[in-house]
Amino acid sequence: MTQLRHEYEKFRALGAEVIAIGPEDPGEFRRYWDREAMPFPGLSDADHKVADLYGQEVRLLALGRLPALFVIDKEGVVRFAHRGRSMADIPSTGKVLEILGALTKPS
């Protein structure tokens, strides 16, 4: 998430918003968010409602939820979905910016 924090303005310049969703309870999530001074919104999803809506997998041997990343347009259509196979399987910020750039180009 550190890279997202540093690249956040590039997302905003493309008309995008970053929203991070974490499995922690609201208090724990808020403490982390405040301590790390994240510039974008975050949401506690301790009851897994959002994770379930998007099919985010939970594996006990992987110590919880596997990473997932979605690009959703203003109409609510998922334009890109990545569901990680391991805790380290996360698309690079550059890759996501590339996808957003392609979506915002005039057709």
Side-chain angles (χ1 to χ4, degrees), residues 1 6 10-11 24 36 40 57 63 93 95 103 107:
M1 264 209 256
H6 295 304
K10 291 180 181 179
F11 285 90
E24 300 83 10
E36 298 298 323
F40 45 85
E57 191 175 347
L63 303 175
T93 301
K95 177 66 176 171
L103 291 172
S107 32

Side-chain angles (χ1 to χ4, degrees), residues 22-35 44 46:
E24 300 83 10
D25 69 69
E28 184 181 348
F29 190 85
R30 167 64 75 186
R31 284 188 294 279
Y32 172 80
W33 220 247
D34 291 345
R35 183 179 64 244
S44 166

Side-chain angles (χ1 to χ4, degrees), residues 67-69 82 84 86-93:
L69 186 142
H82 176 85
S86 72
M87 295 308 274
D89 185 8
I90 303 169
S92 71
T93 301

Side-chain angles (χ1 to χ4, degrees), residues 60-87:
L60 295 179
L61 296 177
L63 303 175
R65 283 198 251 186
L66 292 175
L69 186 142
F70 303 94
V71 174
I72 304 168
D73 70 15
K74 292 178 181 180
E75 287 76 40
V77 176
V78 176
R79 298 295 181 170
F80 173 79
H82 176 85
R83 292 173 180 88
R85 296 181 183 266
S86 72
M87 295 308 274

Side-chain angles (χ1 to χ4, degrees), residues 4-16 18 39 97:
L4 278 174
R5 178 178 44 213
H6 295 304
E7 304 285 347
Y8 179 59
E9 288 307 318
K10 291 180 181 179
F11 285 90
R12 299 290 294 159
L14 289 169
V18 172
L97 288 167

